Amino acid sequence: MWRPCRKNSLEITIRRYLPDQGLKDDFGHPMRNHEDEKIIAEVYPYTDPVKRQAIGITTEKAYTVIFTGSSLEEDNEIIIGGEVYQMASRADYTIAMDNPLQLVVKDTGRRTNG
């Protein structure tokens, strides 16, 4: 069974956006509700310059995130240390039986409020 390495583990948040419910803010803009799930994952800096360019990461901060027990959609966001990241690429980590998910996430430049 795969478990995150304690040395490289962090608590991260997966933010899932719920289907459009027709809600509007005070200015008439559509609002997207979300639910957050906290998990423990291995987090490593993503530094390979050739692979970074291949998936379109140039100057942003990027990380490799490995975790299990959760599924992820394209529009989900990963929150690490109050900073919001989006998925740049995804790969199955096939060494372990329970197939943890390995993602490369890149910085969006946004921060959470809490």
Side-chain angles (χ1 to χ4, degrees):
M1 179 174 165
W2 180 87
R3 287 186 213 148
C5 170
R6 287 184 183 196
K7 179 180 173 186
N8 300 316
S9 294
L10 294 174
E11 182 178 78
I12 66 170
T13 303
I14 298 175
R15 178 164 286 169
R16 290 182 176 82
Y17 286 97
L18 303 173
D20 184 20
Q21 299 167 344
L23 301 173
K24 306 262 184 206
D25 66 9
D26 294 339
F27 302 102
H29 301 112
M31 289 176 30
R32 292 179 65 192
N33 288 332
H34 60 82
E35 62 182 24
D36 292 346
E37 176 186 2
K38 294 188 181 295
I39 62 170
I40 302 296
E42 287 184 25
V43 179
Y44 303 95
Y46 191 69
T47 57
D48 184 337
V50 174
K51 290 182 181 175
R52 285 174 66 94
Q53 283 188 338
I55 59 175
I57 301 173
T58 54
T59 60
E60 303 100 344
K61 288 189 287 185
Y63 293 99
T64 297
V65 179
I66 304 170
F67 60 92
T68 188
S70 187
S71 61
L72 210 63
E73 300 294 325
E74 289 293 323
D75 69 339
N76 294 159
E77 296 174 332
I78 305 292
I79 300 170
I80 303 171
E83 296 179 344
V84 180
Y85 294 83
Q86 70 182 34
M87 186 173 26
S89 73
R90 138 194 247 160
D92 289 325
Y93 196 88
T94 57
I95 294 172
M97 290 175 51
D98 56 353
N99 292 330
L101 190 61
Q102 178 176 321
L103 305 174
V104 174
V105 296
K106 64 180 182 177
D107 189 19
T108 62
R110 298 187 342 247
R111 295 191 53 81
T112 59
N113 293 336

